[in-house]
Amino acid sequence: MTDPLIRTGDEIEYDTVDAADGLEKGVLIAEEHGAPNFAIRRFELEAGATVPEHTNEVEHEQYVLQGAYTVGIDDEEYEVEAGDSLLIPAGTVHWYRNESDEQGAFLCAVPNGDDEIDLLE
């Protein structure tokens, strides 16, 4: 049986994501906190930041918290903004570009386990 857990905002540490300039990740809840199935992470995409084309081993469900930015998924580009949701299936090529003057932020839920990123550049 899993125990309930509350993590306050000041407990979350944000780390720079090596694969991209201007992207930080904070792990909100994950396996190491006792979550049996899924991890929830918060990403912050600085103004002017880009994340190169890549794939991940697992699916991603995302919810845009703030800002507006472009997401490339396969051969399509999508303009997303706060309130939008995305599904990026496992193995799908995707990338991000924030051309605005404001920070973007999104939640990302993934299954627990290996989330290896494969850069395509």
Side-chain angles (χ1 to χ4, degrees):
M1 181 160 175
T2 303
D3 292 327
L5 172 70
I6 304 294
R7 295 190 74 215
T8 61
D10 60 353
E11 293 179 77
I12 310 304
E13 294 182 22
Y14 287 82
D15 296 315
T16 300
V17 176
D18 292 336
D21 292 328
L23 183 67
E24 291 189 340
K25 175 178 81 171
V27 178
L28 308 181
I29 299 283
E31 193 169 21
E32 63 264 25
H33 306 111
N37 300 303
F38 300 98
I40 300 175
R41 298 128 9 136
R42 184 177 194 272
F43 287 86
E44 296 180 350
L45 187 62
E46 295 298 323
T50 60
V51 178
E53 285 188 334
H54 65 282
T55 61
N56 296 81
E57 293 289 320
V58 298
E59 68 185 76
H60 289 59
E61 286 83 13
Q62 297 180 354
Y63 178 77
V64 181
L65 294 169
Q66 71 182 60
Y69 52 89
T70 304
V71 179
I73 303 175
D74 283 331
D75 294 329
E76 298 291 327
E77 288 189 14
Y78 302 92
E79 301 299 320
V80 298
E81 62 185 22
D84 292 347
S85 300
L86 300 84
L87 169 63
I88 302 173
T92 300
V93 174
H94 58 291
W95 53 266
Y96 304 83
R97 182 178 62 234
N98 184 357
E99 294 177 324
S100 78
D101 294 331
E102 296 181 18
Q103 175 177 282
F106 59 93
L107 293 178
C108 181
V110 295
N112 282 337
D114 189 16
D115 181 23
E116 186 174 326
I117 185 172
D118 184 20
L119 293 174
L120 301 181
E121 293 184 344

